[in-house]
Amino acid sequence: MAVFNQVEFDNHEQVVFCSDEASGLKAIIAVHNTKLGPAVGGCRLWDYADDVDAVYDVLRLSKGMTYKNAVARLPFGGGKSVIIGDAKKIKSEALFRAFGKHLERLGGSYYSAEDVNITTGDVMTMHKETNYVMGLEGKSGNPSPFTALGTFLGIKAAYQHKHGHQDLSGVKVSVQGLGAVAYTLCKHLHEAGAELYVTDINQASIDRVVSDFGATAVSIDEIYDLDVDVYAPCALGATVNDETIPRIKASIIAGCANNQLAESRHGEILREKGVLYAPDYVINAGGIINVYYETKPEGYSEAAATKHVEGIYDTLTEIFVRSDAEQKSTHLIADELAQEIIANGL
């Protein structure tokens, strides 16, 4: 299995493969860049088809965290970790304590937190073996509401840039994936008067959003063909690709999923089609911003975290304006902004 010659490797500082026979742990920790500070990024538990897919995912996510933390103007570098396996079968205290021991061995170059299929309770179990975790219960806690808030404000910023106002009354939004972040996003959108069209692999999640917010449920595949104003990818990545782009009718793509573009070239295809794309690691940075505030010497402040998250609106507006002026896709402008901050410091 090649690592160094993968495009996604991108000069990662460290990639660690972790295992523990007793608990069944198989994990990968990727530290992309620590120029602005220790690498910080969540841990994802996923049943990857093979190890190659897991390596690809962790490298891509890790680099994304470098850029996310930089554009969010946080004193963090970028890193990510994945645990390989079926969450319904392998979760145990022994598993997360074993993972915590591996985090401890890195000596603080990487701090982990919750992500897909990992709860704050799981992070607390890791914490029994290491202090190199963030998003702890009793401190900043669950970051999902802050990710949802940032995503909602990002949709408003995109709509303002595209249409000259941010009134979402009657605006049709398709939401793909209805996890904790997306549920709260749907709440914000519903309260703003948007019409919701939703899908998920979990029927109970669909039923909840339909019941609570009057959403219209559609099939997994149908979500791409809807005549909506905004497409919000909130599940796993790469849903904006060669197959789906010709089907997407929305003029705005803005959601909380990571790595929404299957390939970088898809961002330019969207621009040429007149679709405004809110770069994923910019719009979904609310969670990591909230986590940062538990590290403040004066203690965690929800008000301060919320104010920082609200800045996502202004950052996206800056990216949209630069994209128009320079005739470059928004994701490339976001990358350039991140690289400028990394090179020059916060």
Side-chain angles (χ1 to χ4, degrees):
M1 176 175 57
V3 175
F4 290 106
N5 64 353
Q6 283 199 32
V7 173
E8 295 73 24
F9 180 72
D10 191 58
N11 296 313
H12 267 73
E13 294 177 8
Q14 191 174 27
V15 181
V16 180
F17 293 80
C18 313
S19 68
D20 178 71
E21 185 176 2
S23 66
L25 175 73
K26 301 291 181 186
I28 309 171
I29 300 171
V31 177
H32 178 249
N33 186 292
T34 57
K35 185 171 182 181
L36 295 180
V40 178
C43 178
R44 170 173 295 186
L45 199 170
W46 194 253
D47 195 10
Y48 293 97
D50 53 44
D51 293 350
V52 174
D53 286 352
V55 170
Y56 174 84
D57 202 31
V58 76
L59 292 178
R60 200 169 182 216
L61 290 165
S62 176
K63 178 182 176 181
M65 287 304 304
T66 295
Y67 284 19
K68 176 186 291 191
N69 291 334
V71 173
R73 291 167 174 81
L74 300 175
F76 296 153
K80 203 77 174 183
S81 53
V82 298
I83 297 175
I84 302 170
D86 185 342
K88 296 179 180 177
K89 297 178 180 178
I90 71 167
K91 272 196 171 191
S92 68
E93 178 171 353
L95 182 88
F96 292 118
R97 293 191 72 151
F99 184 70
K101 291 177 182 177
H102 282 286
L103 292 176
E104 184 67 19
R105 291 189 185 109
L106 292 179
S109 63
Y110 167 70
Y111 284 72
S112 192
E114 63 87 34
D115 197 356
V116 177
N117 288 324
I118 300 289
T119 67
T120 52
D122 299 329
V123 175
M124 293 300 290
T125 303
M126 299 174 194
H127 187 41
K128 293 179 180 180
E129 302 292 343
T130 183
N131 287 322
Y132 302 129
V133 287
M134 292 184 175
L136 297 173
E137 294 176 355
K139 291 190 176 181
S140 64
N142 183 6
S144 295
F146 296 86
T147 306
L149 174 62
T151 305
F152 172 66
L153 294 173
I155 291 173
K156 293 185 74 173
Y159 206 83
Q160 172 70 41
H161 187 77
K162 192 78 174 175
H163 300 288
H165 67 88
Q166 52 183 290
D167 181 5
L168 300 182
S169 298
V171 173
K172 296 179 179 179
V173 183
S174 59
V175 181
Q176 178 188 47
L178 298 171
V181 175
Y183 176 85
T184 305
L185 172 62
C186 287
K187 182 177 185 292
H188 287 306
L189 290 167
H190 173 68
E191 291 173 350
E195 296 181 19
L196 299 174
Y197 298 82
V198 301
T199 195
D200 193 275
I201 58 174
N202 187 328
Q203 187 60 46
S205 297
I206 294 173
D207 293 343
R208 184 185 182 202
V209 174
V210 169
S211 173
D212 291 355
F213 309 128
T216 299
V218 300
S219 69
I220 295 291
D221 189 59
E222 187 184 357
I223 198 78
Y224 300 111
D225 300 311
L226 299 177
D227 187 9
V228 296
D229 303 292
V230 180
Y231 164 53
C234 297
L236 295 180
T239 64
V240 180
N241 54 52
D242 289 331
E243 179 185 339
T244 61
I245 288 175
R247 299 166 59 187
I248 294 172
K249 298 179 178 64
S251 61
I252 293 170
I253 296 179
C256 60
N258 288 312
N259 297 329
Q260 294 168 28
L261 304 179
E263 299 177 36
S264 179
R265 63 185 177 86
H266 293 126
E268 183 59 24
I269 294 172
L270 292 177
R271 190 183 74 83
E272 291 173 352
K273 283 189 63 178
V275 178
L276 182 60
Y277 170 61
D280 45 24
Y281 63 77
V282 182
I283 195 172
N284 68 15
I288 191 65
I289 290 171
N290 180 60
V291 165
Y292 162 65
Y293 279 86
E294 74 177 34
T295 72
K296 302 289 280 185
E298 62 271 24
Y300 174 72
S301 166
E302 182 177 344
T306 300
K307 184 177 180 180
H308 196 149
V309 171
E310 289 170 350
I312 289 173
Y313 183 104
D314 297 326
T315 301
L316 282 170
T317 298
E318 176 187 351
I319 289 168
F320 297 151
V321 170
R322 282 180 57 170
S323 173
D324 289 346
E326 299 179 28
Q327 290 296 288
K328 288 182 181 178
S329 58
T330 54
H331 80 292
L332 292 180
I333 295 295
D335 287 356
E336 290 176 3
L337 178 60
Q339 290 159 5
E340 291 165 8
I341 294 169
I342 293 167
N344 300 321
L346 299 172

